[in-house]
Amino acid sequence: MDDRMVHSFVVDEEQEGERIDSFLGDRVPELSRSRVQKEIRAGGVLANGAVIAKSSHRVREGDRISLSFAPPRPPAVEPEDIPLAIVYEDSYVVVVDKAAGMVVHPAPGHARGTLVNALLHHCGDLSGIGGVLRPGIVHRLDAGTTGLLVAAKNDEAHISLSRQLMERSVSRIYRALVWGSMPAPEGVVDRPVGRSPRDRRKMAVVAGGKPAVTSYSVLDTRNPFQYIVLKLGTGRTHQIRVHLSHEGHPVLGDPEYGGRRAQKAALRKEELDLANRALALIDRQALHAAKLAFTHPRSGERMRFASNPPADMAAVLDLLGLAAGEPDR
């Protein structure tokens, strides 16, 4: 059976004169431009019913362009016997305290060793709604972020948890060490987040990005750092890290958003020495998902879980003389 995907477009006045590979690359984002060019060479692109043989072909207003291609088939994810810190488990959900460095699901460069590989070995099966590469995954944590995450073991649970996330009834509270002093003891960062125009591998606060809301409160201070608690109002990729970096208070140790070098030039010698000692203790962002709460998909019971910071972050807190404390409930 032919399972090729077909996309069809009509060229409008503004698109007149574009190269056909550029025209299609902008409209079929799941394909790279080189993949579009490959499909053109293979005869998979038509203009007004005629095969287009050259990527340099210029489209004209009113042209009917079609592209057919075979969707990529992701490899099956293999179960792997990887240790997991299971906080709670039943036949519907599994709550994990994720370790630092563990990627949540397979992606380019991370085909093995992910949380999904570990869960498939532990559980035997997960919900299929997330697709071949993301079974059971309803929300994520960055590889360098530790803490609590819930996965769905069947489709009923996945649908329920996804709905709760959309309705913002899943509570996710984080703790972080940040550079400098926040502008107030409590506050809200409400800034849109999208792909960085300078580096597509990163996110940034950008006009036209998706709405993103993060609230915070300061727990304690030891210059040049503050220990803060954060609550997600939305769940954008890298949201907390991007918001804090944009506000000038990146997460200590964050290798992507300025957390390993922020404000060093302005520090007094004793503060600089302390900052360097702190950085030597942690090679990731000092960000921990400390609290998770959701409504159980079957029983309707409100489930609440808490997790203390892991050893590396706890060592930094100890160095700074800051009490980790029990996560808020």
Side-chain angles (χ1 to χ4, degrees):
M1 187 173 90
D2 187 1
D3 59 355
R4 291 178 69 84
M5 298 184 67
V6 178
H7 290 270
S8 298
F9 309 94
V10 176
V11 180
D12 62 28
E13 181 180 0
E14 293 181 356
Q15 297 149 359
E16 170 96 32
E18 288 187 16
R19 283 175 54 115
I20 196 163
D21 57 349
S22 178
F23 174 86
L24 288 170
D26 289 342
R27 286 154 188 81
V28 190
E30 63 265 36
L31 298 185
S32 65
R33 189 163 176 177
S34 61
R35 173 68 188 278
V36 171
Q37 292 170 345
K38 180 180 178 181
E39 297 299 338
I40 291 172
R41 292 193 297 271
V45 176
L46 307 179
N48 303 317
V51 174
I52 299 300
K54 294 184 178 181
S55 298
S56 58
H57 175 87
R58 302 282 176 173
V59 299
R60 296 181 177 181
E61 182 182 359
D63 281 352
R64 296 182 177 274
I65 308 296
S66 66
L67 164 67
S68 65
F69 63 94
R73 296 183 180 276
V77 181
E78 296 295 330
E80 295 182 64
D81 188 1
I82 302 171
L84 287 174
I86 303 295
V87 176
Y88 174 84
E89 182 178 11
D90 61 23
S91 58
Y92 287 84
V93 298
V94 55
V95 177
V96 177
D97 198 341
K98 189 184 82 67
M102 176 174 274
V103 175
V104 170
H105 58 74
H110 299 282
R112 300 180 64 82
T114 73
L115 179 65
V116 165
N117 296 100
L119 284 173
L120 285 173
H121 180 272
H122 175 80
C123 301
D125 198 13
L126 296 166
S127 82
I129 293 176
V132 176
L133 295 181
R134 304 180 186 183
I137 300 303
V138 293
H139 70 117
R140 292 173 286 176
L141 296 175
D142 300 334
T145 299
T146 55
L148 297 168
L149 179 148
V150 60
K153 297 178 74 172
N154 56 51
D155 289 355
E156 179 185 345
H158 200 130
I159 291 168
S160 173
L161 291 170
S162 296
R163 183 182 299 114
Q164 291 179 55
L165 281 164
M166 290 180 62
E167 295 172 350
R168 302 182 184 179
S169 62
V170 175
S171 176
R172 290 172 287 171
I173 293 178
Y174 294 72
R175 291 197 172 195
L177 280 160
V178 301
W179 289 87
S181 296
M182 301 299 290
E186 297 183 351
V188 176
V189 182
D190 184 354
R191 298 186 185 275
V193 170
R195 287 287 170 191
S196 168
R198 297 182 178 180
D199 185 344
R200 301 298 290 176
R201 296 169 298 177
K202 295 183 179 181
M203 308 301 286
V205 170
V206 292
K210 293 181 178 180
V213 179
T214 307
S215 61
Y216 73 87
S217 60
V218 176
L219 296 174
D220 207 347
T221 300
R222 171 72 188 277
N223 291 333
F225 305 113
Q226 282 191 325
Y227 189 33
I228 66 174
V229 60
L230 304 114
K231 185 173 183 179
L232 287 176
T234 54
R236 309 305 177 198
T237 301
H238 299 179
Q239 176 177 314
I240 288 175
R241 299 162 64 196
V242 168
H243 271 171
L244 290 171
S245 180
H246 181 82
E247 298 300 307
H249 305 286
V251 180
L252 168 67
D254 191 333
E256 294 180 290
Y257 296 101
R260 300 204 69 80
R261 61 183 184 274
Q263 304 175 347
K264 277 192 174 185
L267 299 182
R268 299 192 302 270
K269 183 180 183 305
E270 59 270 24
E271 291 177 341
L272 180 59
D273 289 344
L274 185 63
N276 286 331
R277 290 169 64 193
L279 286 167
L281 292 173
I282 192 165
D283 62 359
R284 63 176 183 92
Q285 59 267 20
L287 179 62
H288 180 67
K291 176 185 174 183
L292 175 69
F294 58 88
T295 300
H296 193 276
R298 171 48 66 97
S299 71
E301 177 186 357
R302 191 66 177 170
M303 312 291 287
R304 293 179 173 85
F305 304 95
S307 165
N308 288 317
D312 57 354
M313 190 168 166
V316 178
L317 290 168
D318 185 62
L319 170 71
L320 300 175
L322 302 174
E326 289 298 318
D328 297 338
R329 286 187 176 274

